Each structure stands twice: as C-alpha cells, then as structure tokens.
C-alpha cells in the first residue's frame, strides 16, 4: 500500500491518493474518480459523478453525513462542467 490509503497496490486503481483522503474500495478518492480537469460534457454529469462517489463512501462508512453533504454542496456550487 504505497500511498497509505488502505488498498493494496495490486488492487489500487488510483495509486497516488493524497494522505488522509477517504477512498472507495478501488483506492480512488472523489477527486480522483471525478477529476476537475476532465472535460465533462455538462455540470450535471460532474455533479452526478461526485454525488455517486460520495454516496458510496457514506454507505461504506468511510465519510460522515456532514462530509457527504459538504461534498455534494461543493460539487453543486462549482463551475466544473459548465
């Protein structure tokens, strides 16, 4: 586990996770699964990605409800994909 995210390197789809970032079972954080710089077809598609990943992290017990709500709010208020 080279990046210390709790996912073995052989199973880690995102091997350079920032320290302390909550990750999916794939080893990817929200920022890695839904990168800002990706050419999103629309803002709604970007927000949908963030909401899906955040919901999964919450369901897995990886983030709190407050963190879930913050992730969703920040994605919704961002200009990404616009």
């Amino acid at each position: 586990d080279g990046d210390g995210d709790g996912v073995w390197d052989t199973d880690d789809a995102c091997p350079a996770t920032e320290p302390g970032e909550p990750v999916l079972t794939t080893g990817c954080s929200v920022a890695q699964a839904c990168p800002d710089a990706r050419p999103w077809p629309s803002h709604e598609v970007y927000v949908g990605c963030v909401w899906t990943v955040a919901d999964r992290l919450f369901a897995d017990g990886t983030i709190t409800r407050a963190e879930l709500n913050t992730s969703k709010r920040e994605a919704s208020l961002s200009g990404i994909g616009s």
Side-chain angles (χ1 to χ4, degrees):
D1 182 17
D3 58 5
D5 62 5
V7 178
W8 293 108
D9 290 344
T10 54
D11 300 321
D12 200 336
C14 299
T17 305
E18 292 293 320
E21 283 291 312
V23 297
L24 298 165
T25 56
T26 59
C28 297
S29 67
V30 172
Q32 291 169 314
C34 309
D36 296 355
R38 180 177 171 184
W40 294 97
S42 70
H43 179 67
E44 290 76 20
V45 173
Y46 169 74
V47 171
C49 180
V50 172
W51 282 42
T52 298
V53 174
D55 283 339
R56 173 52 42 209
L57 290 170
F58 179 71
D60 290 346
T62 306
I63 62 173
T64 65
R65 181 166 301 282
E67 292 168 320
L68 169 71
N69 292 337
T70 297
S71 291
K72 289 182 172 185
R73 183 175 50 256
E74 289 176 355
S76 296
L77 296 174
S78 77
I80 298 169
S82 297

